[in-house]
Amino acid sequence: DQQVKQNSPSLSVQEGRISILNCDYTNSMFDYFLWYKKYPAEGPTFLISISSIKDKNEDGRFTVFLNKSAKHLSLHIVPSQPGDSAVYFCAASAKGAGSYQLTFGKGTKLSVIP
Amino acid sequence: DAGVTQSPTHLIKTRGQQVTLRCSPKSGHDTVSWYQQALGQGPQFIFQYYEEEERQRGNFPDRFSGHQFPNYSSELNVNALLLGDSALYLCASSSTRDRVNSPLHFGNGTRLTVT
């Protein structure tokens, strides 16, 4: 049973436009959420995170929104750049589990077209 | 400053064999976690080591075991390999001295193929 779901396996966006990646979760015990980016032949790289006490966190071109009532979060990238082309994983950790035990979604492959 | 390093990068084993994967955490980190990423899936938590002991474990059978050494490096051992163990094995490190929920730093992984 997938506790973290990324329902879009892939997404294509024109350079300069906004990329929106979505993630849904089912476990009410999740209280911390992260986005990781992964290039081929490399390990995942941390991008941005958000605690359940917030509904928005921004870092440069990247913004994560959290809607707890809908158990939904999204990652916005504005403007999108070709170097953003990668697989994006949504991950969550539960209260008491610490940041070591993350539950990941299956990922969304983002392609930014020049 | 070296990040998380894993060895080997690729490995081919036969069903029933045993394998050992190695990980050196990022400098200054004392905690190591291991993840398995099957093709088309997200990483799945195997276990976490701190102070040379297994602290948390995911839903993996006892064929998966690990070890952490005094220098914080770690090994992942898998016995009686199955075809389904073919995956990318990722090591991640963090520091207990960092703030709560500090993000994990991942290595580039070991690609294990079981034939």
Side-chain angles (χ1 to χ4, degrees):
Chain A
D1 181 31
Q2 280 264 299
Q3 297 186 60
V4 176
K5 300 177 184 179
Q6 293 177 258
N7 292 320
S8 298
S10 61
L11 175 68
S12 289
V13 172
Q14 288 286 337
E15 180 179 4
R17 299 289 188 99
I18 182 172
S19 295
I20 300 177
L21 295 92
N22 294 303
C23 178
D24 297 295
Y25 62 97
T26 58
N27 189 339
S28 300
M29 294 299 291
F30 288 149
D31 68 343
Y32 194 68
F33 304 89
L34 309 91
W35 286 93
Y36 279 83
K37 178 171 71 173
K38 188 179 185 301
Y39 294 117
E42 293 184 11
T45 303
F46 170 72
L47 198 56
I48 192 170
S49 62
I50 188 167
S51 165
S52 60
I53 63 173
K54 295 185 176 181
D55 54 18
K56 175 183 175 182
N57 189 25
E58 194 170 354
D59 184 2
R61 296 186 297 114
F62 304 92
T63 303
V64 56
F65 295 92
L66 175 62
N67 182 334
K68 285 182 294 183
S69 60
K71 292 191 174 66
H72 177 84
L73 62 155
S74 61
L75 173 68
H76 293 209
I77 306 173
V78 184
S80 300
Q81 300 174 354
D84 296 330
S85 297
V87 177
Y88 288 77
F89 289 100
C90 172
S93 69
K95 294 173 188 175
S99 62
Y100 318 116
Q101 186 170 353
L102 298 178
T103 301
F104 283 83
K106 291 185 178 183
T108 296
K109 184 177 182 180
L110 174 65
S111 299
V112 180
I113 304 162
Chain B
D1 179 23
V4 180
T5 58
Q6 293 187 241
S7 63
T9 55
H10 295 83
L11 202 51
I12 300 175
K13 288 287 189 178
T14 302
R15 191 171 45 184
Q17 286 187 318
Q18 179 263 343
V19 68
T20 298
L21 311 181
R22 295 176 175 82
C23 172
S24 292
K26 179 180 167 67
S27 178
H29 285 185
D30 55 6
T31 299
V32 172
S33 304
W34 286 91
Y35 284 77
Q36 179 196 66
Q37 185 182 7
L39 199 60
Q41 304 294 315
Q44 189 173 357
F45 176 73
I46 303 175
F47 43 53
Q48 174 230 343
Y49 276 83
Y50 170 62
E51 291 185 329
E52 303 179 46
E53 290 190 14
E54 181 183 299
R55 300 290 177 172
Q56 296 181 46
R57 189 179 184 92
N59 189 24
F60 278 81
D62 292 344
R63 297 186 299 109
F64 289 77
S65 63
H67 189 77
Q68 185 179 34
F69 299 93
N71 66 353
Y72 308 120
S73 66
S74 176
E75 289 182 348
L76 165 65
N77 301 292
V78 186
N79 294 322
L81 284 167
L82 304 173
L83 296 179
D85 295 332
S86 295
L88 179 68
Y89 288 84
L90 294 162
C91 172
S93 72
S94 57
S95 172
T96 52
R97 291 180 294 277
D98 289 343
R99 57 182 172 81
V100 175
N101 286 329
S102 292
L104 296 178
H105 293 252
F106 283 87
N108 290 337
T110 294
R111 173 72 63 186
L112 172 65
T113 302
V114 182
T115 61

